[in-house]
Amino acid sequence: MSIVHSAAAANPVLEPVLTVENMVVAYGSAAQPVYAVDHVSFSLRPGEMMGVIGESGCGKSTMAYALMNLLPSSARMVGGRISMQGVGDISGLSEREWEVIRGSKIAMVFQAAQSMFNPLMQLGKQMKNVLNAHRVNVAEGMERGRQLLKKAQLDPDRVLRAYPHELSGGMRQRVSVVFSILLKPDLLILDEPTTALDVLSQNTVLELISELRRDTPVTTMFITHDFSVVASLSDRIAVMYAGKLVEIAPTKDIYKNPQHPYTAALTRAIPELDAPLTDLVAIPGQPPNLADPPPGCRFAPRCPLAIDQCRNEDPPWTTDAVNNGVACWRSGEQPEVMDVE
Ligand SMILES: Nc1ncnc2c1ncn2[C@@H]1O[C@H](COP(=O)(O)OP(=O)(O)O)[C@@H](O)[C@H]1O
Ligand SMILES: [Mg+2]
């Protein structure tokens, strides 16, 4: 795969499409909250793709669901602010207002296993319903849908007549991607869109995403537990660990010069950005139980560089002039110590 970073993303001066400030999301009761997203702040620039990586259970999906205002009833956003270009603060909108925003402003593609489709309705009817719900001219919208399906290497007639189960998992996921951009959203969230697929289908979905972004570079957040999936597609990478953001940097810096030991461990197994996909080097241990996280830095119990300070004090999130950042007491010392070449 070649690197297809978008030109717009190189310009950090443009007003962000999405700004998240101090997002906190808790599961469980107010008396015993489990913080799955803990003071997360970042912004997305027009047209950029940001990869969000981290092991399973680190809060990536919870953050995505909070951005879509689709949290399950057991969770709530208890702190922070989400604002979108042209809309302003969206964290306080009513469900009615969200119905307008979801799909047209922010769209999401879920893991293939959790299909977004109604199993009992032909896909063409579902496409019409989406267009009607958003008061889009149906003839024009369906024509756009057909063009997008062709781009996805799918036969529009066949797909629009089909029920979801009549398509393979990979085809269905490509149709999900088509539905997600049907209304030309300003922000696209992809949550492990290829995780449940075989390698061949994974590649067709990744190719579709990269092809669509070549035409119109929609601002995209691509969530995955596998760095190699997003390494060649993303302009920047955000790394999450145990509910916290631990690093954000341009993809090449994340790979060549990781500032956080967790980032280094996640990316170490990949020798070159263009190399074939490889498995991650296993990091000994596992993320903490968020119901009872360790004091200090949450990665300290697994970190080869941890000192006493790391085990006692939570490292602050420190950002640079263009909103990249890191939360690590030892980030300055890292490159030499962690050099594995
Ligand atoms: N339905 C739930 N009820 C209670 N806690 C949950 C639920 N779903 C997720 N969590 C908590 O939130 C954490 C983050 O989950 P999730 O956002 O799904 O992580 P990721 O997408 O990174 O795998 C989990 O480790 C767990 O502690
Ligand atoms: Mg997830």
Side-chain angles (χ1 to χ4, degrees), residues 55-62 65 111 114 191-192 223:
E55 287 161 290
S56 183
C58 284
K60 307 182 299 296
S61 294
T62 304
Y65 280 92
Q111 265 203 30
Q114 327 147 223
D191 187 9
E192 309 260 10
I223 296 170

Side-chain angles (χ1 to χ4, degrees), residues 23-248:
M23 180 194 277
V24 182
V25 182
Y27 286 93
S29 65
Q32 279 188 312
V34 172
Y35 295 107
V37 180
D38 198 348
H39 293 90
V40 163
S41 302
F42 64 92
S43 56
L44 295 180
R45 300 164 191 153
E48 86 168 320
M49 181 187 281
M50 187 165 86
V52 178
I53 61 171
E55 287 161 290
S56 183
C58 284
K60 307 182 299 296
S61 294
T62 304
M63 177 180 72
Y65 280 92
L67 289 173
M68 290 288 284
N69 196 38
L70 282 179
L71 286 168
S73 58
S74 55
R76 65 215 175 279
M77 187 166 142
V78 292
R81 197 183 125 97
I82 308 169
S83 41
M84 277 197 78
Q85 198 177 49
V87 187
D89 187 349
I90 58 172
S91 28
L93 296 183
S94 67
E95 183 49 35
R96 219 194 168 83
E97 291 166 310
W98 267 105
E99 275 163 23
V100 178
I101 288 198
R102 226 179 273 130
S104 65
K105 290 274 179 194
I106 314 182
M108 182 159 164
V109 174
F110 303 86
Q111 265 203 30
Q114 327 147 223
S115 171
M116 74 203 286
F117 299 116
N118 177 343
L120 303 176
M121 200 187 278
Q122 286 167 306
L123 289 161
K125 178 98 179 34
Q126 299 195 45
M127 191 177 272
K128 276 194 191 115
N129 286 351
V130 169
L131 297 166
N132 277 324
H134 289 273
R135 299 203 170 80
V136 174
N137 180 299
V138 171
E140 284 171 23
M142 290 301 286
E143 184 47 35
R144 173 169 158 81
R146 287 173 167 278
Q147 294 305 327
L148 290 168
L149 288 168
K150 283 188 199 157
K151 273 218 165 84
Q153 321 273 336
L154 295 165
D155 172 359
D157 290 331
R158 186 181 152 214
V159 166
L160 293 174
R161 263 201 318 269
Y163 289 88
H165 73 266
E166 293 175 313
L167 305 179
S168 71
M171 289 166 87
R172 207 160 44 231
Q173 197 62 336
R174 277 181 279 157
V175 179
S176 294
V177 173
V178 165
F179 268 67
S180 73
I181 59 158
L182 187 63
L183 303 172
K184 305 183 183 164
D186 297 333
L187 172 64
L188 177 61
I189 301 174
L190 308 165
D191 187 9
E192 309 260 10
T194 62
T195 301
L197 303 176
D198 61 82
V199 173
L200 213 62
S201 311
Q202 283 191 9
N203 286 340
T204 57
V205 170
L206 291 176
E207 271 161 28
L208 172 62
I209 291 165
S210 121
E211 156 94 10
L212 293 171
R213 286 177 43 77
R214 244 192 312 270
D215 291 354
T216 331
V218 54
T219 308
T220 305
M221 177 186 280
F222 192 135
I223 296 170
T224 173
H225 65 280
D226 183 350
F227 174 63
S228 65
V229 167
V230 286
S232 63
L233 290 172
S234 300
D235 302 290
R236 289 191 301 159
I237 299 281
V239 185
M240 269 187 95
Y241 187 77
K244 299 210 178 250
L245 210 52
V246 297
E247 184 164 3
I248 294 185

Side-chain angles (χ1 to χ4, degrees), residues 260-274:
H260 197 287
Y262 183 60
T263 311
L266 277 183
T267 58
R268 205 170 344 178
I270 299 154
E272 288 298 331
L273 284 183
D274 288 341

Side-chain angles (χ1 to χ4, degrees), residues 291-314:
D292 184 24
C297 172
R298 290 176 177 186
F299 188 59
R302 299 169 77 187
C303 182
L305 301 180
I307 52 175
D308 280 350
Q309 185 179 28
C310 308
R311 286 180 275 268
N312 296 319
E313 291 172 54
D314 204 3

